[in-house]
Amino acid sequence: MTWLFLTALVFFWAVGAYNRLVRLRAMAAQQFAVVDAQFVRLWAWVEGSLPAHVRDDDAVTESPQTSLNEVWAACEVFAESLALVRANPFDAAPMQRVNIARVQLFKLLRQEKDFHMADDSAWFSDPLQKKFERLKTQSWPMIVAYNQAVQAYNDAASEWPARWLAKQFRFVAAVKLDSSDPLA
């Protein structure tokens, strides 16, 4: 009778621990979906704000505006990295690519802003900068919420004995998004 009780106790503990891991993992994935939607808005806005001759695939190699071509290329890399993470938000390498691509895109936009500081004809003019800042600022709390969900999941997956279950079901630790502002 004691063995039956202990077996039932271990079984119910395992089911509860597994359900907790799955719930926390789903919460982190759900939070990433919110961040992803905001990043797609940001990406679409930046790419859509570029002059038409830069967005045209045939004209990119012929355009004399190298900095705009770099911004366009950074937008494409950012979009590709988001697509990779969307498939599996718990894969570390694609998430690192998102972090790197986002920082690179923001740095290029900062350079573009600084370069054209006194130029009224610049594509990244004052109204566009304000819209970009608003979109960027809106994404920050979403990134923080995602990072908190990832931390809760990673903490739960690293606690003993739930760590054994996480290993058995191949629940790997999730990677946080870079929450620093590369334009600050």
Side-chain angles (χ1 to χ4, degrees), residues 12-32:
F12 287 115
W13 167 85
V15 168
Y18 175 80
N19 286 340
R20 179 175 181 233
L21 287 174
V22 168
R23 183 177 39 81
L24 290 171
R25 187 175 166 93
M27 193 180 321
Q30 182 180 19
Q31 287 296 332
F32 178 75

Side-chain angles (χ1 to χ4, degrees), residues 38-157:
Q38 184 66 16
F39 281 175
V40 167
R41 284 181 64 207
L42 186 67
W43 161 78
W45 175 82
V46 170
E47 195 166 89
S49 296
L50 285 169
H53 70 278
V54 175
R55 290 180 303 210
D56 184 11
D57 288 337
D58 299 331
V60 169
T61 55
E62 302 167 12
S63 175
Q65 297 174 321
T66 328
S67 64
L68 291 181
N69 290 342
E70 289 174 358
V71 171
W72 182 82
C75 280
E76 293 301 305
V77 170
F78 186 50
E80 289 170 10
S81 63
L82 281 174
L84 288 173
V85 170
R86 225 172 270 128
N88 185 3
F90 297 98
D91 196 354
M95 188 61 80
Q96 291 293 38
R97 281 188 65 193
V98 166
N99 279 327
I100 292 167
R102 185 173 134 261
V103 168
Q104 180 63 25
L105 176 61
F106 286 9
K107 283 182 181 177
L108 287 171
L109 289 173
R110 175 61 173 243
Q111 289 171 0
E112 189 68 23
K113 174 185 166 190
D114 292 345
F115 182 71
H116 293 290
M117 209 52 152
D119 186 5
D120 291 338
S121 65
W123 75 274
F124 198 56
S125 61
D126 192 44
L128 291 178
Q129 291 173 27
K130 288 179 181 174
K131 172 76 172 173
F132 174 74
E133 286 297 321
R134 188 168 53 251
L135 285 170
K136 185 178 61 119
T137 304
Q138 288 171 351
S139 67
W140 190 78
M142 296 171 195
I143 292 171
V144 170
Y146 168 75
N147 286 344
Q148 290 171 344
V150 164
Q151 188 64 46
Y153 164 71
N154 287 345
D155 288 348

Side-chain angles (χ1 to χ4, degrees), residues 163-171:
R163 181 178 27 199
W164 179 81
L165 277 175
K167 186 176 179 181
Q168 296 304 312
F169 290 100
R170 295 187 177 104
F171 288 171

